[in-house]
Amino acid sequence: MAEETDVRPHQSKPANESLFETPPMAEQERMVEAILFASADPVTIADMNARMPHGCDAKEAVEHLHNRYEGRGVRVVRVGEAYAIRTAPDLGYLMQKETTETRKLSRAAIETLAIIAYHQPVTRAEIEEIRGVSVSRGTIDLLIEMEWIRFGRRRMTPGRPVTFVVTPGFLDHFGLETARDLPGLKELRAAGLLDNRPPPGLAELDQVDDDEDDGDEGQGEMFEE
Amino acid sequence: MAEETDVRPHQSKPANESLFETPPMAEQERMVEAILFASADPVTIADMNARMPHGCDAKEAVEHLHNRYEGRGVRVVRVGEAYAIRTAPDLGYLMQKETTETRKLSRAAIETLAIIAYHQPVTRAEIEEIRGVSVSRGTIDLLIEMEWIRFGRRRMTPGRPVTFVVTPGFLDHFGLETARDLPGLKELRAAGLLDNRPPPGLAELDQVDDDEDDGDEGQGEMFEE
Amino acid sequence: MAEDDLFQEDKLSVSDRLAAEALIIDVDGFEGPLDLLLTLARTQKVDLLKISVLQLSEQYLIFVEKAKELRIELAADYLVMAAWLAFLKSRLLLPPDPEAEGPSGDELAAHLAFQLERLAAMRDAAARLMARDQKGRDFFARGITEDVERIKNVEYSATLLDLMQAYARIRTKDEFRPYVMDRDNVFTMEQALDRMRGMIGFAGSWTDIMSYLPGGWDNDPSRRRSATAATFAAALELVKEGHAEIRQSETFSPIQLRHRTNRDG
């Protein structure tokens, strides 16, 4: 009986096992490291064992490798029944490349901003009315993101539309104490910023505008009627 | 007095440096480890530095990492100006699954590639002169398509012929740090086999040509007369 | 010297004619006359530096002659080389003519020997190169890679002057224009982007971008055109921002979009 148990392992050994010694565990660890590194998908223990020389214990080798990578920039993770090497989660930000680019604000954005600055508080419908074209959500979002405009109080009219006002950040950026410091049309014209003469009949309208620019709270209502 | 010396270092620090301390080298090593593991292609030091926090020294970190992986299943290799992690060549047999069916290159393609690598920058006429046979367009196209060769600068000779040079992809494929590490390069150079040696007679006959061509272009004519 | 060489030619004729015949059968296997010469040179079983160029020339000429006998068509460059070697042979055999111009036979022979040695060296170098460990065969690159997401931070700039000019522009020009809603048939990229931002998160698999067209925009040709263009532009924008991946198998085939899955692990 005792003899039999002694003998059996030898008999059951395939020929290649006696010819080629099982590699030491350190070597097996190298193997699973290379396999996990190069594979396009996670690899199962069975698959690793199939690829490694006979007698290897991929499971144990993976465990050693897992411990070796503890605290490193990559780690050995289990994915279902398989294993893979992945970036340490805290270093995910390295997979991003940030570039900063200074861009001139689009014409749509600068016009929208100007209208908000001159007419605040102003609703989106009013901005569109003044510009003559619809204002994209992206433009408003951008200006809000830049912290140059913010939501003001809702207008007490049907639909209770939100209004937009400029922020202290806006004033700071443009070197203004208040939005009222913005020059009116008359001043713009005097400064040569307006070279195209107003169409006939518009002179009066301008006049009204300029007056109203001083009291900017009330301006918005003009368009609601 | 003691107070002053305490304060000075803080004052002299630029704003961003005092806000974000440069990570310790061990941490930088983790970072380059994550970056190199994430990429199949070699990554330049400049690219690593651009992705790592301000003040990091990717070059030093890569060196540490290189030493750490000495003897492991994967290793840090230099490819031209960049670095990559590759499996240890002795473990290639484990990766049969990953082996990409490499196109069987023709003898003409292999020789052309070797001539470009050893003689670069080299013109098509020079390749033909060395091989004693015309180089088919397809051969050059194939090598370009494999991203092993690319156009170099034009030769400043009549006709301004294009030259060919090998790429970092070539170095990567053959595990070369630089083109200077090509096997036997030194011996070939010492034996004068990489010289442009004008054929006798043509040197005088085509005096003008040879002067302008660095003495190499004239050789091809031998078979044309 | 001349007699010596003539004698040599006779001595060569038996074995070399046989060798030449064997080579002719395989003439397609040669990469040009220089390659053939190199093979012939190797039959001399001496260092390439010490080959007898005269003997080599004769071997080559025998080869060409034999080919003619067997009515095997040789490429022109083989014949050009034969003519040149015949000329070289005459230079080598005849006593140097002090009146003759150009290089001596010995100089020409030395250069041919150099060319053969260089070609042999390049062959050897090519073999050594191909014997190196190669990527994808002996060593391997990373199998699971991660894309580097490009995050573009845009800082917008505007001056007070820009602001005032913009306002002046609106107040002096646009205000007076009667407001007409003429954009019924225009679907803007911003609209498409808004729409797709909401939907892309649910699209885990490849989806034809045409399926992102808003309802009611796919019947009228002009509306469809506008919506398609806007959706395509918006899709590119999403890809640029790193939120989506886009592909097209070939020209004019459907363009497909999918949500870019974030790294896991």
Side-chain angles (χ1 to χ4, degrees):
Chain A
M1 189 65 178
E3 242 186 53
E4 257 191 43
T5 43
D6 267 3
V7 170
R8 206 175 287 154
H10 289 284
Q11 284 180 326
S12 66
K13 259 187 187 171
N16 60 348
E17 206 177 325
S18 50
L19 279 171
F20 303 103
E21 262 330 273
T22 300
M25 187 43 70
E27 190 59 20
Q28 295 186 34
E29 197 190 312
R30 288 183 75 225
M31 294 177 185
V32 299
E33 186 174 38
I35 292 173
L36 292 183
F37 174 84
S39 297
D41 297 300
V43 191
T44 62
I45 294 292
D47 194 3
M48 281 182 249
N49 274 328
R51 288 206 224 175
M52 288 158 70
H54 193 85
C56 284
D57 182 350
K59 186 152 183 57
E60 194 187 331
V62 166
E63 269 159 34
H64 284 292
L65 192 70
H66 175 270
N67 295 340
R68 186 184 287 272
Y69 277 103
E70 201 78 65
R72 306 290 318 159
V74 294
R75 45 179 212 164
V76 177
V77 296
R78 194 168 157 186
V79 186
E81 290 303 300
Y83 292 84
I85 298 176
R86 293 282 165 87
T87 308
D90 65 311
L91 297 178
Y93 69 92
L94 291 170
M95 303 308 138
Q96 299 175 337
K97 197 174 189 176
E98 290 197 38
T99 51
T100 303
E101 179 186 303
T102 308
R103 213 184 279 173
K104 239 178 152 37
L105 209 54
S106 72
R107 181 177 162 153
I110 193 92
E111 285 182 10
T112 304
L113 182 64
I115 293 166
I116 295 169
Y118 276 92
H119 292 266
Q120 62 170 353
V122 61
T123 68
R124 188 191 184 119
E126 289 158 7
I127 297 169
E128 293 185 343
E129 174 121 31
I130 295 168
R131 283 197 64 217
V133 287
S134 67
V135 174
S136 81
R137 207 190 149 67
T139 302
I140 297 279
D141 286 350
L142 176 69
L143 293 172
I144 289 174
E145 198 188 299
M146 291 172 79
E147 298 184 349
W148 279 356
I149 66 168
R150 62 172 176 83
F151 293 110
R153 261 173 303 182
R154 280 183 186 277
R155 190 62 59 70
M156 287 303 151
T157 53
R160 293 174 49 81
V162 293
T163 63
F164 297 99
V165 295
V166 293
T167 63
F170 165 88
L171 297 175
D172 192 36
H173 181 92
F174 290 96
L176 299 166
E177 295 230 337
T178 73
R180 289 178 203 197
D181 292 343
L182 282 168
L185 284 189
K186 250 191 294 185
E187 288 153 288
L188 291 176
R189 195 169 286 125
L193 289 166
L194 278 175
D195 40 22
N196 39 346
R197 251 162 270 116
L202 201 70
E204 297 151 49
L205 244 162
D206 267 358
Q207 199 65 52
V208 178
D209 263 358
D210 284 350
D211 286 348
E212 281 191 342
D213 272 350
D214 293 334
D216 52 7
E217 283 300 326
Q219 291 170 344
E221 268 81 59
M222 182 170 93
F223 300 103
E224 281 178 8
E225 287 165 11
Chain B
M1 183 68 184
E3 246 184 48
E4 257 191 41
T5 43
D6 269 0
V7 170
R8 205 173 290 154
H10 291 282
Q11 286 180 325
S12 66
K13 263 188 187 171
N16 56 349
E17 215 176 312
S18 52
L19 278 172
F20 305 101
E21 208 64 38
T22 300
M25 188 43 71
E27 188 61 18
Q28 295 185 35
E29 198 192 312
R30 286 185 74 225
M31 293 176 188
V32 298
E33 188 174 36
I35 291 173
L36 292 183
F37 260 87
S39 173
D41 293 320
V43 185
T44 64
I45 293 291
D47 194 3
M48 286 183 245
N49 274 328
R51 281 154 69 180
M52 288 159 70
H54 188 87
C56 283
D57 181 350
K59 187 152 182 59
E60 194 188 332
V62 165
E63 271 159 32
H64 285 295
L65 194 71
H66 174 269
N67 295 338
R68 181 181 293 272
Y69 277 92
E70 201 82 65
R72 297 268 298 273
V74 297
R75 44 182 210 162
V76 178
V77 298
R78 188 183 142 196
V79 183
E81 298 305 306
Y83 291 83
I85 299 180
R86 300 284 179 248
T87 62
D90 65 307
L91 299 177
Y93 68 96
L94 293 169
M95 250 65 70
Q96 269 148 359
K97 270 192 156 179
E98 268 65 51
T99 308
T100 41
E101 209 36 66
T102 40
R103 231 181 304 199
K104 193 100 176 93
L105 280 182
S106 69
R107 184 171 143 186
I110 292 169
E111 278 181 24
T112 303
L113 178 65
I115 290 168
I116 293 170
Y118 283 82
H119 289 263
Q120 65 172 344
V122 64
T123 66
R124 189 194 194 100
E126 286 159 5
I127 298 167
E128 295 184 340
E129 156 69 15
I130 293 169
R131 296 196 62 229
V133 69
S134 65
V135 175
S136 82
R137 207 181 157 70
T139 302
I140 296 280
D141 287 351
L142 176 70
L143 293 172
I144 288 174
E145 193 190 303
M146 293 176 85
E147 297 185 352
W148 282 355
I149 66 166
R150 63 172 176 81
F151 292 108
R153 259 177 299 185
R154 282 181 185 277
R155 191 60 62 76
M156 286 302 148
T157 55
R160 292 172 52 83
V162 295
T163 62
F164 298 98
V165 294
V166 291
T167 64
F170 166 86
L171 299 178
D172 187 22
H173 185 91
F174 291 99
L176 295 162
E177 289 202 358
T178 71
R180 285 186 296 278
D181 299 322
L182 284 163
L185 184 72
K186 246 183 260 167
E187 293 83 336
L188 287 171
R189 187 169 291 141
L193 289 168
L194 302 182
D195 299 347
N196 282 315
R197 197 182 292 183
L202 284 173
E204 296 147 47
L205 272 164
D206 295 344
Q207 195 71 54
V208 182
D209 264 358
D210 281 348
D211 283 350
E212 287 178 79
D213 290 354
D214 300 329
D216 46 26
E217 233 30 358
Q219 294 176 340
E221 265 86 66
M222 186 170 91
F223 299 107
E224 286 171 14
E225 285 168 9
Chain C
M1 169 165 176
E3 267 183 25
D4 252 20
D5 288 325
L6 283 170
F7 172 69
Q8 216 174 6
E9 186 178 13
D10 285 335
K11 200 179 70 183
L12 282 171
S13 53
V14 183
S15 61
D16 281 7
R17 272 171 201 272
L18 283 173
E21 214 163 318
L23 289 169
I24 290 162
I25 311 299
D26 197 28
V27 73
D28 283 344
F30 290 102
E31 301 242 345
L34 209 54
D35 184 27
L36 173 58
L37 275 171
L38 186 57
T39 307
L40 291 171
R42 290 226 159 101
T43 64
Q44 293 187 13
K45 294 197 174 78
V46 290
D47 194 312
L48 278 177
L49 286 171
K50 296 181 192 130
I51 52 158
S52 159
V53 170
L54 181 62
Q55 190 185 334
L56 185 62
S57 304
E58 283 159 356
Q59 283 176 298
Y60 188 94
L61 293 171
I62 292 165
F63 168 87
V64 172
E65 197 180 296
K66 192 75 194 165
K68 273 183 195 156
E69 274 174 37
L70 294 172
R71 293 169 182 245
I72 291 174
E73 290 230 7
L74 286 178
D77 50 351
Y78 286 86
L79 301 178
V80 172
M81 177 62 94
W84 188 81
L85 288 172
F87 163 76
L88 174 61
K89 187 179 151 189
S90 69
R91 279 260 165 142
L92 288 171
L93 289 174
L94 295 170
D97 178 0
E99 299 286 296
E101 287 188 7
S104 72
D106 286 342
E107 282 169 335
L108 293 172
H111 188 73
L112 181 61
F114 165 75
Q115 283 182 292
L116 292 174
E117 198 196 354
R118 181 172 62 181
L119 179 61
M122 279 300 111
R123 293 254 160 98
D124 180 51
R128 288 170 76 179
L129 185 65
M130 297 314 280
R132 285 185 69 83
D133 289 331
Q134 293 183 37
K135 190 172 84 173
R137 188 187 77 183
D138 305 294
F139 63 89
F140 296 83
R142 180 71 162 129
I144 303 174
T145 56
E146 289 181 51
D147 293 335
V148 177
E149 195 176 337
R150 290 191 184 268
I151 297 180
K152 207 190 248 176
N153 292 323
V154 181
E155 266 177 17
Y156 290 96
S157 69
T159 63
L160 188 57
L161 193 67
D162 295 330
L163 194 73
M164 295 186 304
Q165 278 175 331
Y167 188 66
R169 195 165 57 223
I170 303 161
R171 295 312 264 166
T172 56
K173 213 165 75 195
D174 296 342
E175 188 210 34
F176 206 60
R177 204 188 74 157
Y179 179 58
V180 283
M181 191 64 186
D182 54 0
R183 295 167 66 86
D184 279 2
N185 290 331
V186 177
F187 193 64
T188 65
M189 190 190 91
E190 283 80 11
Q191 284 172 293
L193 207 49
D194 271 357
R195 184 178 161 74
M196 292 175 80
R197 280 223 170 88
M199 293 168 74
I200 187 71
F202 301 101
S205 56
W206 291 107
T207 313
D208 191 337
I209 62 163
M210 295 307 284
S211 62
Y212 287 94
L213 290 200
W217 285 79
D218 44 3
N219 296 323
D220 179 71
S222 66
R223 283 168 73 86
R224 184 181 166 84
R225 212 158 34 234
S226 171
T228 304
T231 301
F232 176 63
L236 292 182
E237 188 63 28
L238 286 174
V239 171
K240 202 169 92 187
E241 288 171 3
H243 297 307
E245 295 171 293
I246 197 164
R247 72 174 185 189
Q248 184 181 31
S249 55
E250 59 183 344
T251 316
F252 299 120
S253 70
I255 296 166
Q256 296 177 311
L257 195 70
R258 106 176 148 183
H259 182 55
R260 191 171 173 284
T261 42
N262 279 324
R263 297 166 307 278
D264 45 342

